[in-house]
């Protein structure tokens, strides 16, 4: 172990510096918005310049509705609700919620469809928090999406409870986690099993319709999850998704019918408002979390059961489809909490920065009566003036509340808004407030002319709207408090870690006896320069949002470029031409896989089916592709198993032999698992008693036993062998085979293909390493180490991440993998499985596969002394870690520079999170791998020789 520490101390030091650097930088970059402990109260309105409601029973505003029904359809895309005629091309999932379109068409003044715009990131927790608080949740809340903490900030639900409103909730149990002890009745159902499309929805249906007849609630919330889960597992263009939408349409039709039947004078729902809404959208392959239009665009359908006039055109932002008599307006989700609060007559949440939306407000607030022809006669003009006066007063309260919050926030927060921003906010508010004094005086004269007061009221409304819009946009651009000192400190420590990395490599180079920088071999100099240039290009590309979006393609391009250079040397030396050509072919295949894996806007039916893999469903010839998609992955497993079998027969002994045999058994079980789910062979009834979860759990158990044997047995049993290369190869094959089975079954049928492709690419790299150089004269027996093969391995790892259907965003996580072998949500097992699925190929197998370049002798130098193996192995580990650290450092610098970029939270911050997590994981894996591979090597080589070299 002493021999390992002489090398490993650098790994420990560098990992420690990385952790400290990332923690400090993250503390400065991902600060949560200061959550103020204040709440709004009815008595607060006396401090405002606005009218108070004359009704003794009301609070800030006069209640416009008595009962509110909120039906949340999770991941409701906008095109699920809007008519297909609003889009260029009709898709199979459109026009399925026909009842909503029909209501909006038949009752345009009392039923309306809105395009609701969410603020990214579009995770469910953040959207529910934003909807109820009226604030902009910060990026750091994404981390709580799988364990939602209670909301402590003032919110719409809290205001309902404080003001005596009774709330009933059913569906997604996230609500009970966010708002514990807030509901008079609750029927929560577990929400994280994405394979379960029906439990939550059936629970909502069971309680929703009966609750409509009950009088023990004022607000009813029903949160359906089937569409969200159908998207994650099957995609938007799938039969389960269509079935879910049709089911929702039937349920909504029953709900609307019951509400209409009870909406007559004196009946239970005489003054009720129905809201059918989504919390966010989803991409065509069912993902969400980012900031693409598909993810942020959802819908709200609002329906009042009154006969209402149309909204004045000045405040109507609708775009209409004349053929269907349907108009659609737009509303930021930021406006939801304050608008609903105003309709129910409760104080607005203290931290809300939204605006009371005029179109949604007008659907419920009716303060004037029109003649049968619904034209604006003299009486109608007077009623319109009353409505505008009422809405202006509501906006006055709205603006005062937002101004109060900004003042308190700026005084309480360490940084807050800049003095220039605060001055502009105060100036806009002061002008609106001055106009309000004039407007109030004008409206107090009963005999005043409508021709005079209407323009004044409209200008007043515009003034308040401008103020509220400015504050919202300012908050979006500058909400997060960046602590530049902590960010700078984190960057400084990260740069220090790079220096330590370089110092460690330099020390290893001296131990090896060759200085790369002073080598007389021009090929070496070129290889080193090419590596440096490639790393620099990759690091620089992270400063562009376009290159981050296309990161997999950029890495593949760089990998192909190195392959072309390798092919050039193969032609020059007339050696390894087949390996160089195969390597280039593999880069082309990975390019296609990356294209498929990242093509988020492609119709899901082309890239997905019931399997979690994107490999099923590419439309070539349906029957041909079905057979290929079923058979080819199993053939890849057979090839992998055959390779392992050959490794057993040639050079395996002891525990490694049994470990590899266990992996072959796991491959057989995986193939059986895939066959049982086959669309070709209906074998489900043969495995009915075995259970669909039994095979994955058996594979997990075998992996745990294998890893335990590899970790524990060497402690008590030291196998002596003089063949260092053979021992290293056996260890590498053992650990890679033990990890591969779990990774493959989590990845789905694409996993076997990616594993086979990575194996072939690694073999080609191993054979081609050193082709551009030769033994330096005077140093016989010592091959010169070059960083180019390690760079190629690093680029291949990036390609594997994207080729396996992942990308650096939260909607790039394959949540379905967390439930392979499980039906229920258990946090720790699911988190482990999701981590293995995400980082399996790109990090775990890549790090443990690095000894490939040492375990096999270079064809261009067969005479290396065995005492050089550990140094070469650690050198490769350190160079690989340095490349990863440089990439992460570039990402950190990128988010620092782009911290005010429009896409900072939708793109740059997720990339930062993935890269720093990947860096820490890489450091940890290098530490574990170095201990694993180095164990006992000092006994075989001799501590004295290592000490002299080091």
């Amino acid at each position: 172990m002493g021999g390992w520490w002489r090398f490993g101390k650098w790994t420990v030091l560098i990992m420690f510096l990385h952790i400290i650097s990332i923690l400090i930088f993250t503390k400065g970059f991902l600060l949560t918005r200061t959550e103020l402990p204040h709440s709004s109260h009815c008595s607060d309105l006396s401090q405002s310049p606005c009218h108070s409601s004359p009704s003794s029973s009301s609070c800030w505003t006069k209640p416009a509705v008595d009962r509110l029904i909120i039906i949340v359809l999770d991941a409701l895309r906008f095109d699920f609700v809007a008519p297909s005629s609003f889009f260029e091309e009709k898709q199979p999932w459109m026009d399925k919620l026909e009842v909503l379109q029909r209501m909006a068409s038949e009752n345009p003044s009392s039923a309306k469809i809105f395009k609701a715009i969410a603020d990214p990131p579009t995770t469910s927790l953040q959207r529910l928090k934003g909807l109820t608080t009226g604030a902009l949740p910060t990026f750091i809340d994404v981390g709580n999406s799988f364990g939602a903490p209670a909301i402590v900030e003032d919110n719409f639900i809290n205001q309902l409870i404080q003001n005596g409103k009774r709330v009933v909730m059913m569906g997604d149990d996230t609500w009970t986690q966010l708002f514990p002890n807030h509901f008079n009745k609750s029927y929560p159902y577990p929400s994280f099993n994405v394979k379960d499309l029906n439990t939550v929805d059936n629970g909502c249906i069971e309680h929703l319709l009966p609750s409509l007849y009950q009088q023990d609630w004022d607000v009813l919330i029903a949160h359906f999850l089937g569409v969200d889960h159908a998207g994650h597992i099957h995609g938007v263009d799938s039969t389960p998704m269509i079935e879910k939408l049709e089911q929702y349409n039937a349920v909504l039709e029953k709900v609307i019918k019951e509400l209409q039947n009870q909406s007559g004078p004196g009946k239970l729902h005489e003054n009720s408002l129905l809201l059918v809404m989504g919390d966010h959208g989803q991409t065509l392959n069912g993902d969400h979390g980012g900031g693409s239009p598909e993810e942020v665009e959802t819908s709200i359908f609002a329906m009042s059961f009154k006969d209402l006039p149309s909204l004045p055109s000045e405040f109507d932002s609708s775009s209409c489809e004349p053929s269907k008599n349907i108009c659609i307006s737009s509303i930021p989700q930021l406006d939801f909490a304050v608008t609903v609060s105003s309709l129910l007559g409760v104080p607005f949440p203290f931290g809300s920065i939204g605006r009371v939306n005029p179109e949604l407000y007008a659907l419920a607030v009716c303060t004037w009566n029109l003649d049968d022809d619904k034209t604006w006669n003299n009486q109608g003009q007077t009623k319109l003036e009353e409505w505008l006066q009422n809405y202006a007063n509501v906006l006055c309260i709205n603006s005062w509340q937002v101004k109060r919050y900004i003042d308190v926030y700026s005084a309480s927060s360490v940084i807050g808004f800049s003095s220039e921003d605060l001055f502009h906010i105060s100036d806009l508010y002061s002008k609106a407030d001055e106009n309000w004094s004039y407007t109030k005086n004008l409206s107090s004269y009963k005999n005043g002319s409508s021709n005079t007061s209407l323009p004044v009221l409209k200008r007043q409304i515009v003034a308040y709207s401008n103020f509220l819009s400015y504050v919202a946009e300012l908050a979006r651009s500058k909400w997060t408090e960046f602590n530049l000192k902590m960010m700078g400190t984190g960057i400084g420590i990260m740069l220090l870690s790079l220096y330590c990395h370089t110092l460690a490599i330099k020390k290893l180079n001296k131990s090896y006896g060759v200085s790369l920088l002073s080598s007389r071999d021009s090929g070496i100099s070129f290889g080193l320069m090419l590596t440096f240039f490639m790393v620099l290009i990759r690091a620089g590309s992270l400063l562009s949002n376009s290159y981050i979006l296309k990161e997999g393609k950029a890495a593949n391009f760089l990998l192909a470029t190195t392959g072309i250079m390798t092919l050039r040397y193969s032609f020059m030396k007339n050696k390894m031409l087949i390996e160089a050509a195969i390597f280039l072919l593999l880069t082309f295949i990975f390019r296609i896989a990356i294209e498929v894996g990242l093509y988020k806007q492609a119709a899901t039916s082309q890239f997905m089916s019931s399997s979690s893999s994107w490999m099923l469903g590419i439309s070539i010839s349906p029957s041909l592709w079905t057979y290929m998609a079923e058979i080819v992955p199993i053939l890849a497993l057979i090839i992998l198993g055959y390779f392992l079998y050959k490794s057993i027969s040639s050079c395996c002994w002891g525990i490694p032999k049994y470990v590899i045999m266990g992996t072959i058994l796991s491959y057989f079980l995986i193939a059986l698992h895939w066959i049982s789910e086959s669309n070709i062979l209906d074998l489900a009834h043969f495995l009915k008693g075995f259970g669909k979860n039994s095979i994955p759990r058996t594979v997990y158990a075998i992996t745990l036993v294998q890893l335990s044997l590899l970790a524990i047995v060497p402690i008590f049993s030291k196998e002596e062998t003089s063949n260092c290369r053979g021992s290293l190869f056996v260890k590498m094959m053992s650990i890679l085979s033990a990890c591969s089975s779990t990774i493959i079954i989590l990845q789905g049928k694409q996993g076997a293909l990616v594993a086979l492709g990575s194996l072939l690419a690694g073999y080609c790299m191993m054979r081609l390493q050193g082709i551009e150089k030769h033994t330096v004269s005077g140093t016989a027996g010592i091959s010169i180490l070059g960083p180019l093969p390690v760079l190629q391995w690093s680029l291949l790892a990036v390609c594997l991440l994207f080729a396996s259907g992942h990308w650096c965003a939260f909607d790039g996580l394959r949540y379905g993998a967390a439930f392979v072998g499980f039906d229920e949500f258990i946090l720790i097992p699911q988190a482990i499985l999701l981590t293995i699925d995400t980082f399996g190929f790109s990090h775990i197998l890549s790090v443990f596969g690095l000894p490939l370049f040492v375990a096999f002798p270079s064809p261009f130098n067969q005479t290396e002394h065995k005492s050089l193996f550990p140094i070469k192995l650690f050198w490769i580990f350190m160079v690989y870690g340095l490349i990863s650290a440089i990439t992460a450092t570039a990402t950190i610098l990128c988010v620092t520079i782009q911290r005010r970029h429009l896409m900072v939270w939708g793109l740059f911050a997720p990339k930062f999170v993935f890269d720093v997590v990947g860096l820490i994981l890489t450091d940890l894996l290098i530490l574990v791998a170095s201990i694993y591979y180095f164990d006992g090597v000092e006994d075989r080589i001799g501590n004295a020789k290592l000490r002299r070299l080091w």
Side-chain angles (χ1 to χ4, degrees), residues 247-258:
Q247 180 190 26
Y248 287 176
N249 186 71
V251 171
L252 292 173
E253 191 156 16
K254 292 179 181 178
V255 169
I256 292 174
K257 182 179 179 180
E258 294 301 329

Side-chain angles (χ1 to χ4, degrees), residues 25-180:
F25 182 88
T26 302
K27 187 69 176 177
F29 176 64
L30 294 183
L31 283 176
T32 56
R33 173 177 50 85
T34 304
E35 294 187 348
L36 303 181
H38 308 292
S39 296
S40 297
H41 303 280
C42 289
S43 58
D44 295 345
L45 193 62
S46 61
Q47 305 169 19
S48 77
C50 313
H51 289 310
S52 61
S53 174
S55 173
S56 59
S57 62
S58 61
C59 188
W60 283 18
T61 60
K62 182 179 179 180
V65 297
D66 298 327
R67 312 189 95 195
L68 177 65
I69 302 97
I70 301 175
I71 298 178
V72 181
L73 306 181
D74 207 288
L76 183 70
R77 286 170 57 100
F78 174 61
D79 57 5
F80 286 168
V81 179
S84 58
S85 55
F86 277 80
F87 304 94
E88 293 182 0
E89 182 180 356
K90 182 176 180 178
Q91 300 294 345
W93 58 85
M94 295 180 179
D95 298 329
K96 299 304 177 184
L97 298 178
E98 179 270 336
V99 64
L100 302 184
Q101 297 179 12
R102 188 174 73 250
M103 292 296 105
S105 176
E106 295 176 356
N107 310 283
S109 62
S110 57
K112 197 173 189 66
I113 295 174
F114 293 84
K115 177 194 284 187
I117 309 299
D119 290 289
T122 47
T123 59
S124 293
L125 167 67
Q126 287 192 304
R127 287 297 83 233
L128 292 183
K129 188 172 182 179
L131 284 167
T132 54
T133 62
L136 295 172
T138 50
F139 180 85
I140 199 68
D141 293 326
V142 169
N144 295 322
S145 287
F146 291 98
I151 295 179
V152 297
E153 199 172 11
D154 193 17
N155 57 80
F156 161 59
I157 303 295
N158 182 58
Q159 286 297 332
L160 292 175
I161 302 305
Q162 284 187 358
N163 290 274
K165 302 292 185 181
R166 300 160 299 172
V167 185
V168 173
M169 190 285 304
M170 57 199 68
D172 187 350
D173 63 352
T174 304
W175 286 88
T176 56
Q177 299 174 44
L178 293 174
F179 308 103

Side-chain angles (χ1 to χ4, degrees), residues 640-947:
L640 290 171
Y642 175 76
F643 177 78
L644 291 179
Y645 173 77
K646 293 295 290 183
S647 68
I648 290 177
S649 60
S650 61
C651 60
C652 270
W653 57 87
I655 292 299
K657 180 177 181 178
Y658 296 106
V659 169
I660 293 178
M661 288 176 61
T663 300
I664 296 175
L665 174 61
S666 294
Y667 286 174
F668 173 77
L669 292 175
I670 293 171
L672 186 63
H673 180 64
W674 290 345
I675 292 173
S676 70
E677 296 180 339
S678 172
N679 296 324
I680 301 175
L681 300 175
D682 186 12
L683 300 179
H685 59 282
F686 285 108
L687 299 172
K688 185 175 181 181
F690 197 50
K692 65 176 182 178
N693 294 329
S694 300
I695 290 180
R697 292 184 179 184
T698 303
V699 173
Y700 302 155
I702 292 174
T703 299
L704 285 175
V705 172
Q706 290 172 313
L707 294 178
S708 300
L709 289 175
L710 292 175
I712 297 173
V713 171
I715 298 177
F716 303 100
S717 175
K718 299 288 185 181
E719 295 188 14
E720 296 295 334
T721 175
S722 59
N723 186 356
C724 295
R725 274 202 171 106
S727 175
L728 189 61
F729 171 74
V730 168
K731 280 196 164 191
M732 182 185 71
M733 290 303 301
S734 300
I735 190 69
L736 290 180
S737 65
C739 296
S740 65
S741 55
T742 294
I743 295 172
I744 288 174
I745 198 170
L746 290 176
Q747 289 279 333
K749 294 181 181 178
Q750 67 182 9
L753 300 175
V754 174
L756 182 60
S758 62
L759 178 65
L760 293 175
Y763 173 78
C764 293
M765 290 182 192
M766 176 272 300
R767 294 284 291 166
L768 292 167
Q769 66 167 323
I771 193 172
E772 79 282 7
K773 52 186 180 287
H774 54 78
T775 303
V776 178
S777 60
T779 58
I782 302 178
S783 69
I784 299 174
L785 285 176
L788 186 57
V790 185
L791 171 67
Q792 289 178 316
W793 191 254
S794 175
L795 292 173
L796 176 65
V798 178
C799 292
L800 293 178
L801 174 69
F802 290 87
S804 56
H806 302 88
W807 53 90
C808 296
F810 292 103
D811 56 350
L813 296 174
R814 300 173 64 253
Y815 296 104
F819 293 92
V820 175
F822 294 88
D823 288 327
E824 69 284 351
F825 176 76
I826 307 173
L827 180 62
I828 294 179
Q830 263 67 64
I832 293 173
L833 292 179
L834 187 61
T835 302
I836 294 174
D837 173 74
T838 304
F839 298 107
F841 283 117
S842 61
H843 290 74
I844 298 174
L845 295 186
S846 294
V847 170
F848 281 107
L850 281 169
L852 182 70
F853 299 106
V854 181
F856 290 92
S858 169
F860 305 99
N861 183 23
Q862 303 281 343
T863 59
E864 286 183 338
H865 195 280
K866 64 181 181 180
S867 62
L868 299 173
F869 295 161
I871 297 178
K872 186 173 182 179
L873 179 59
F874 270 91
W875 186 91
I876 289 174
F877 278 138
M878 295 301 292
V879 171
Y880 186 87
L882 178 61
I883 293 173
S884 300
I886 291 174
T887 302
T889 303
T891 302
I892 291 174
L893 291 172
C894 167
V895 296
T896 302
I897 296 171
Q898 306 282 15
R899 63 187 183 276
R900 297 301 182 191
H901 193 281
L902 179 64
M903 300 180 67
V904 62
W905 303 124
L907 179 65
F908 293 108
K911 171 63 177 169
F912 163 76
V913 172
F914 272 77
D915 274 12
V916 297
V917 170
L919 177 62
I920 297 300
L921 182 61
T922 299
D923 289 339
L924 182 62
L925 290 171
I926 287 176
L927 178 63
V928 174
S930 61
I931 296 174
Y932 171 75
Y933 286 120
F934 201 78
D935 180 47
V937 73
E938 64 268 29
D939 298 327
R940 292 189 291 271
I941 294 176
N943 279 312
K945 289 184 178 180
L946 285 176
R947 201 173 291 113

Side-chain angles (χ1 to χ4, degrees), residues 340-382:
V340 174
S341 295
S342 68
L343 294 176
L344 289 168
V346 299
F348 306 161
F350 187 89
S352 171
I353 57 171
R355 178 187 68 143
V356 176
N357 184 270
E359 293 162 278
L360 183 55
Y361 184 76
L363 283 176
V365 179
C366 179
T367 58
W368 70 92
N369 297 314
L370 295 176
D371 295 338
D372 292 340
D373 61 357
K374 295 189 178 181
T375 57
W376 293 110
N377 54 22
N378 292 335
Q379 182 183 1
Q381 287 285 82
T382 302

Side-chain angles (χ1 to χ4, degrees), residues 238 258 283 315 375 403 448 469 521 568 571 611 625 739 755 803 862 891:
S238 64
E258 294 301 329
T283 63
F315 308 106
T375 57
K403 179 62 166 58
S469 298
D521 189 332
R568 171 178 174 267
F571 274 114
S611 171
W625 178 251
C739 296
Q862 303 281 343
T891 302

